[in-house]
Amino acid sequence: MAITEYLERIFGGTAEEYAQRAERAMLSGERLFVVTANPEIIMHAQKDPEVDRLLRAKEAEIVPDGISVVKAMRMLGLEARERVTGVDLADKLLRAAGRQGKTVFLLGAKEEVVSALAQKLRREYPGVTVHYRNGYEGDKDKIFDGIAAIAPDLTLVALGAPAQDLLIYRRLKDFSRGVFMGVGGSFDVLSGSKRRAPAFFVRTNTEWLYRILREPSRLGRFWNNNVKFLGEVRRAARGGR
Ligand code: UDP
């Protein structure tokens, strides 16, 4: 599918607006599947039919996770207020679930990471019910059978994109309610195991620069996924499609 068609489907409002929409869905027992799209997954979709289907699925709501996606949408004349990052959205949803005494399932990351996040939530929100499984042991489909039996209000899957999103998409039919989201490395940050970029980088949309400075080996990946991506969108915006 043309890159423009993926971008046309992405939510263009503010992060706060989207968080409110997802919170309402969680509180009212709707079923909602959120995919946070970065340039990497959009580039991937062009080569992989399974990921293409995911980004076109009517059941999936897509939000722009990254400033390059926001810029790409604007190049096409689409509304794109700001990025809606998976880690912030996950944080807001977990807090809302905590305040409302909801049931949460956390799947993924290392045992010490996901158990630390579960403990933190239980400590901060005594009314919440938290189930969890790490992302390295057990058959994922069996784990999902267990999740379906619980029918949580919120299920966050941290296995890395696009595996986490494809897994949710494949099992969505087993649920009539609940919010589902793939959250990449968010458990590492939310549990306190890994530091997020300092506020300055977050505020100025330069978290990507902070990551490259800390891990220069990311430069190649950054180039492939962001610079090439924006080049392709620029060509499409000029009418090349
Ligand atoms: N992960 C996992 N099982 C695996 C591979 C990865 O639970 O088999 C976890 C890993 O511990 C990390 C997350 O998935 O918490 C992926 O984070 P990363 O930042 O690589 O993902 P991205 O945000 O790039 O999708």
Side-chain angles (χ1 to χ4, degrees):
M1 186 159 96
I3 208 159
T4 50
E5 291 172 65
Y6 300 120
L7 292 166
E8 279 161 5
R9 291 205 54 200
I10 302 181
F11 177 77
T14 67
E16 191 48 43
E17 278 162 12
Y18 196 80
Q20 282 178 16
R21 150 147 192 55
E23 274 184 44
R24 266 199 310 275
M26 180 172 70
L27 301 184
S28 64
E30 250 178 76
R31 189 183 71 176
L32 174 64
F33 171 29
V34 189
V35 176
T36 66
N38 58 14
E40 204 166 351
I41 199 169
I42 296 173
M43 297 290 271
H44 196 141
Q46 291 184 290
K47 292 176 291 198
D48 183 337
E50 225 187 326
V51 180
D52 169 71
R53 269 198 298 281
L54 167 76
L55 291 193
R56 286 192 291 120
K58 63 177 188 323
E59 298 90 340
E61 288 191 4
I62 324 271
V63 298
D65 190 357
I67 194 64
S68 297
V69 179
V70 168
K71 283 192 177 146
M73 291 166 73
R74 289 181 187 158
M75 273 182 207
L76 297 176
L78 299 166
E79 175 172 90
R81 297 289 297 277
E82 59 183 358
R83 33 187 206 139
V84 181
T85 65
V87 62
D88 288 323
L89 186 56
D91 189 32
K92 286 180 186 148
L93 286 173
L94 286 172
R95 288 176 191 283
R99 283 194 304 272
Q100 306 284 339
K102 295 288 178 186
T103 300
V104 173
F105 202 107
L106 308 174
L107 167 60
K110 293 189 190 129
E111 178 64 26
E112 63 267 27
V113 169
V114 67
S115 64
L117 179 57
Q119 296 309 335
K120 186 171 168 228
L121 288 168
R122 290 173 185 148
R123 213 170 37 240
E124 287 176 22
Y125 303 100
V128 76
T129 303
V130 186
H131 302 267
Y132 69 89
R133 288 291 300 265
N134 73 56
Y136 296 90
E137 288 162 33
D139 175 75
K140 300 290 182 298
D141 273 299
K142 287 224 179 75
I143 296 175
F144 248 89
D145 292 342
I147 301 177
I150 294 168
D153 301 293
L154 175 64
T155 303
L156 301 181
V157 182
L159 298 169
Q164 58 193 18
D165 311 278
L166 292 171
L167 175 64
I168 297 173
Y169 185 39
R170 187 154 48 79
R171 298 302 305 259
L172 206 58
K173 59 182 182 326
D174 299 326
F175 298 85
S176 57
R177 55 185 301 282
V179 174
F180 297 82
M181 178 164 75
V183 297
S186 299
F187 293 176
D188 300 85
V189 174
L190 296 176
S191 65
S193 319
K194 204 169 171 182
R195 192 162 168 253
R196 197 176 174 185
F200 167 80
F201 291 94
V202 175
R203 202 174 52 242
T204 56
N205 289 323
T206 50
E207 271 185 278
W208 56 272
L209 176 63
Y210 174 79
R211 287 200 203 111
I212 291 173
L213 292 174
R214 285 191 55 137
E215 288 175 66
S217 61
R218 280 178 175 267
L219 189 58
R221 205 172 128 186
F222 176 79
W223 178 268
N224 275 330
N225 291 313
N226 291 269
V227 181
K228 270 194 189 166
F229 167 73
L230 286 175
E232 242 180 78
V233 176
R234 198 166 291 120
R235 271 194 301 284
R238 288 200 193 114
R241 277 243 142 184

